[in-house]
Amino acid sequence: MGIIRLKNIRTFSYHGCLVEESKIGSDYRVDLEIHANLAHSASSDKLTDTVDYVHLNKIVVEEMAIRSELLEHVAQRINNRTLKELEMVTQVTVEVSKINPPIGGDVQEVTIILEAKR
């Protein structure tokens, strides 16, 4: 078993419950971790034998572009799509963070963490 992590994927998206958030948007950070059997690719040195992290990044960027009221919803979509499109993935954990959330306090970020298994 092996792990692939994509750290600090940055997007500008329009998630949130407030009307203002749908208009002005906000900065987000996404961290994605997948578990898969990487033994074959470690030996073969072939991209076709592993989980392509370009594909993983594409999933995150495309799902972050679809507006959601809740970070939980976009995180679940990322997990579901990862498991659907990448058969080698046995487990996926996504962290979606809203940078400087509008919650009336000095908060650097708020993060939702969701995990899914095959």
Side-chain angles (χ1 to χ4, degrees):
M1 195 56 59
I3 296 171
I4 296 175
R5 287 189 187 117
L6 280 72
K7 294 182 177 182
N8 201 23
I9 303 168
R10 293 174 302 277
T11 69
F12 188 85
S13 303
Y14 297 87
H15 306 300
C17 297
L18 302 176
V19 174
E20 294 81 9
E21 293 174 299
S22 70
K23 294 179 182 177
I24 63 172
S26 189
D27 290 312
Y28 291 83
R29 179 181 56 80
V30 179
D31 297 315
L32 186 69
E33 176 178 293
I34 64 97
H35 293 239
N37 184 345
L38 303 178
H40 185 62
S41 60
S43 298
S44 73
D45 196 30
K46 301 292 181 194
L47 180 61
T48 55
D49 295 331
T50 193
V51 178
D52 186 351
Y53 48 81
V54 172
H55 192 158
L56 291 169
N57 187 65
K58 180 179 185 258
I59 290 170
V60 169
V61 170
E62 289 178 357
E63 292 303 323
M64 288 298 291
I66 301 168
R67 177 168 160 62
S68 292
E69 287 189 14
L70 300 178
L71 297 182
E72 294 91 322
H73 189 257
V74 70
Q76 185 64 49
R77 288 199 322 265
I78 292 168
N79 281 351
N80 289 345
R81 189 166 161 200
T82 300
L83 290 174
K84 180 181 178 185
E85 294 183 14
L86 300 162
E87 292 181 15
M88 285 184 62
V89 174
T90 59
Q91 180 178 328
V92 59
T93 304
V94 65
E95 298 183 29
V96 179
S97 301
K98 181 182 283 192
I99 311 299
N100 297 319
I103 60 175
D106 186 11
V107 177
Q108 179 178 340
E109 65 185 29
V110 61
T111 302
I112 299 299
I113 302 171
L114 286 182
E115 182 178 294
K117 295 180 182 180
R118 190 172 301 283

